[in-house]
Amino acid sequence: MNFLTEFGVKPILLLAQVVNFLILLFILKRFLYKPILKVLEDRKQKIAQGLQDADEIEKRLQQITAEREEKLKAAGKDAEGILREATKTAEQIIAEAHVKAQKDIEKLMEKSEANMKLERAKMQQEMQAELVDLVVLALGKITGKVVSSRDHKEMIEKTLKNL
Amino acid sequence: MNIELAAEQIGHIGALPVTNTMLMSWVVTAILSITAIIVSRKVTLVPAGLQNFFEFVIEYAYNMTEELAHSKAKVFFPFIMTFFLFIITSNWLGLLPGFGTIGFNEIKDGKETFIPLLRSINADLNMTLSLALVSVIVTHFFAVRYLGIKDYLKKWFALNPIFLFVGLLELVGEVTKVVSLSFRLFGNIFAGEVVLATIAGIFAFVAPLPFYFLEIIVGFVQAAVFMMLTLTFMVLLTEKHGEEH
């Protein structure tokens, strides 16, 4: 062990350095490794949590999108159904209206025809009456004799009827 | 330029002789401690500045430790990291101007000799030897803790004469670990100091620059080697004997 003294090795210096090193070890462990490793671990967990959350959000978003699409599709189908029904109803209403209008027109025409007939009959009657008067007048003028108007009338009406 | 193999004594506190390397060791301890306290005072989830840097270093080292030591990483890590930080800080600090040049003259053995006030820590065998001793002793301590005293002794002593011999050889190997760890670090840094002093002695301007870069690399490599070897020894020794067969 003689060579060690040549290197200046002394047990007390060795011991002092060991103590020195252990003090440094303790300080660094307490003030450097512990907080830094803790913060590293915390961050790792936070990042993992964040990624997990992001995944969940993505999943939820997909779910919501799918749901919305489904709902939209259902709503579209419903709307189509409603539209079809409405069209059907409208067509029915129009057809009914057509039928009714036709009926009304027919009724109106019938009525007007009847009216016209009535009018014509009236006119005929009137014309007859006038004709009778005219004939009476003419006969009177021709015969120069005034026939009692009542007799005449009866006679003429009879003749007219026979005509 | 004449560099002494042994660190020069610059004073003493009571019975404790204070060498220039001892002084620097305290300085390094103070620097690291103060940095650690500054960093730890405002550790935030969103890192900034110095915290960023230490996070990078510590995370890298911790992942490496975990890869090798698995569940024991938490116990091994403080030692390994402290070895690395202490050695690299002292190595790089030793490259600063003033090391080996600032000092005073003292009459010693009747003639005047120059005593540098600052000296690179690992250019003193005391320092590297104590680090190596801590490394090996702690390794054995962990081995006993993880294996139990019975399995620990089984590593070295067996009834089978061949294994007994192998075990004894390995026991010698443990002593060699101390020597190799300490002398590797000491040799590299001391040689670096000598080279820098010699080149500076020949021509002090610009010429030593390439060697300074070299020493920066050597300082890092030696710190990493010391750390890695300690980690490997810890992992190997805390494993049960015969597990790998």
Side-chain angles (χ1 to χ4, degrees), chain A residues 71-128:
Chain A
K71 263 182 191 165
L72 274 173
K73 224 180 256 175
K77 224 177 246 173
D78 276 6
E80 218 169 277
I82 289 168
L83 212 70
R84 206 178 294 141
E85 212 155 285
T87 316
K88 223 188 212 165
T89 317
E91 267 168 12
Q92 212 170 327
I93 287 169
I94 288 169
E96 265 170 32
H98 264 298
V99 170
K100 208 180 168 202
Q102 199 90 26
K103 257 183 202 163
D104 280 1
I105 287 167
E106 267 169 31
K107 234 183 231 168
L108 248 139
M109 265 171 47
E110 254 169 50
K111 221 182 204 173
S112 62
E113 223 165 277
N115 269 357
M116 255 156 68
K117 259 184 196 162
L118 218 73
E119 202 104 327
R120 215 164 51 192
K122 223 187 209 169
M123 247 159 66
Q124 224 165 358
Q125 234 169 6
E126 261 168 39
M127 252 163 61
Q128 239 172 21

Side-chain angles (χ1 to χ4, degrees), chain B residues 165-184:
Chain B
F165 182 66
V166 172
L168 285 175
L169 274 185
E170 283 193 41
L171 214 53
V172 174
E174 292 307 307
V175 179
T176 320
K177 268 186 199 170
V178 180
V179 178
S180 70
L181 276 177
S182 58
F183 272 95
R184 179 184 302 109

Side-chain angles (χ1 to χ4, degrees), chain B residues 137 139-158 171 237-241:
Chain B
I137 289 169
T139 303
H140 280 261
F141 174 77
F142 281 151
V144 173
R145 188 181 147 181
Y146 279 109
L147 297 176
I149 191 81
K150 209 175 134 202
D151 275 341
Y152 172 72
L153 288 177
K154 257 194 207 163
K155 259 182 182 302
W156 320 112
F157 306 109
L171 214 53
L237 222 62
T238 50
E239 250 166 26
K240 266 205 171 65
H241 186 64

